[in-house]
Amino acid sequence: MQDLALLPSDLFAGKTVFVTGGGSGINLGIARGFATLGASVGICGRTLDKLEKAKAELEEIGAAVSISVADVRDYDALEAALARTEAECSSIDCLVCGAAGNFLAPAEALSPNGFKAVVDIDLLGSFNAARAGFEQLRQTRGNIIFISAGQAFVPYYAQAHVGAAKAGIDNLMQNLALEWGRYGIRSNSIAPGPIDGTEGMKRLAPGNVKDRIADAVPLRRLGSVEDIAGAAVFLASPLASFVTGTRLVVDGGQNLPGSGLYGKMIQDAMGGSLTADRS
Ligand code: COA
């Protein structure tokens, strides 16, 4: 498990980090990690209640916090959220594009609107955040961290929509690394594995499926939000100042054997609805 206390507590003093979807889960864990190391934090999300609770938690750590209700699919709302963070904290040094949507659905049962909802939140939402944050990042010579997933490079049952969205995110990440390197802006992504206690795990691994997943991960455990926060801190820190255009897989080795192990688990989680039709 990552221990951020090993790092200087003022590593990000005077810096501001903006996290989309920062009200809960992995994204709040990332915000907490940066707050622990002295950063000011801007977060946006769809639910004010969640954002207010997250703000109280981050302020308790000692961070200045700016919250904004904004759906990443709404460019104008995102632009306003970033402007508010700049006014209440400072121009952002790091942008974390973490807002995501997910559910299990076999492709033949997925409506076009269901596919679109996930691509819009994950991929379009990430572009919106990067585009709206560009001017501030250019000023600070900052960096972007996209949240990808194993689905971007391994096909998973009932995850066609997520695979398309996350593969798109990694492609966008590399295009921005290529185009915005000249402004000093670095662009990378993190592909988290199964992270305990998150909404994603609840949706993808209900019931005891999560214990089976932990047993199947080469490192024999689920990840924690601190594992992902540690990776984000590394990518945003001076230690990674020559790192751009890369995907950092933080999955305990989950994706090394492909997704075959998970096919049966996903099938069980969905009540056997993926049973092969041989007719
Ligand atoms: N299976 C199949 N289709 C589903 C679905 C499911 N479990 N959940 C939603 N959809 C479809 C809806 O039926 C709808 O399509 P339709 O108009 O053809 O019926 C489409 O997706 C949009 O649904 P809606 O509920 O209007 O979208 P939303 O924008 O309010 O919510 C979601 C977006 C669907 C991604 C929702 O699950 C969400 O808000 N998730 C955020 C949290 C999350 O997923 N966290 C985990 C991240 S790893």
Side-chain angles (χ1 to χ4, degrees):
M1 202 155 319
Q2 301 282 345
D3 189 351
L4 294 177
L6 295 171
L7 298 170
S9 59
D10 62 350
L11 187 60
F12 291 100
K15 308 277 187 196
T16 296
V17 178
F18 186 86
V19 186
T20 67
S24 62
I26 289 177
N27 299 318
L28 176 56
I30 291 173
R32 201 184 295 124
F34 281 110
T36 305
L37 297 173
S40 299
V41 179
I43 55 176
C44 75
R46 286 182 291 174
T47 318
L48 181 60
D49 185 45
K50 271 199 212 173
L51 293 170
E52 281 174 340
K53 286 195 183 111
K55 179 177 160 79
E57 184 189 325
L58 296 168
E59 282 177 342
E60 189 132 330
I61 299 172
V65 183
S66 172
I67 60 172
S68 304
V69 175
D71 186 322
V72 290
R73 291 170 286 192
D74 178 348
Y75 182 81
D76 292 343
L78 210 39
E79 207 175 39
L82 279 152
R84 177 194 287 240
T85 295
E86 185 173 39
E88 294 181 352
C89 302
S90 63
S91 297
I92 61 167
D93 299 90
C94 176
L95 169 68
V96 180
C97 301
N102 198 352
F103 48 80
L104 290 169
E108 71 272 21
L110 180 61
S111 73
N113 201 35
F115 185 91
K116 182 177 184 300
V118 170
V119 171
D120 279 357
I121 296 171
D122 292 27
L123 178 54
L124 178 63
S126 292
F127 174 77
N128 283 345
R131 180 68 187 81
F134 169 73
E135 202 44 56
Q136 293 187 42
L137 291 167
R138 193 180 61 79
Q139 282 169 33
T140 60
R141 299 177 73 80
N143 72 96
I144 308 171
I145 299 171
F146 293 95
I147 301 301
S148 180
Q151 287 91 326
F153 53 96
V154 174
Y156 273 70
Y157 287 100
Q159 290 281 272
H161 43 317
V162 176
K166 296 294 191 181
I169 285 176
D170 280 345
N171 186 277
L172 174 66
M173 174 274 287
Q174 292 199 315
N175 275 283
L176 296 187
L178 182 71
E179 287 196 33
W180 291 355
R182 68 185 188 277
Y183 303 114
I185 298 174
R186 295 183 299 108
S187 168
N188 295 291
S189 63
I190 295 173
I195 304 301
D196 203 10
T198 59
E199 178 68 24
M201 276 301 281
K202 256 183 252 157
R203 286 168 181 251
L204 303 183
N208 74 344
V209 176
K210 108 175 175 172
D211 299 328
R212 292 169 63 194
I213 290 181
D215 286 344
V217 169
L219 285 179
R220 298 292 190 275
R221 70 168 173 88
L222 298 174
S224 65
V225 292
E226 289 80 13
D227 288 318
I228 307 306
V233 160
F234 163 69
L235 286 173
S237 80
L239 288 172
S241 62
F242 204 48
V243 180
T244 195
T246 200
R247 176 177 58 214
L248 181 54
V249 180
V250 187
D251 69 348
Q254 181 202 19
N255 288 286
L256 294 174
S259 71
L261 283 168
Y262 302 96
K264 178 74 174 73
M265 295 183 206
I266 291 172
Q267 186 175 312
D268 290 350
M270 299 185 73
S273 60
L274 288 175
T275 305
D277 179 354
R278 293 171 200 275
S279 60

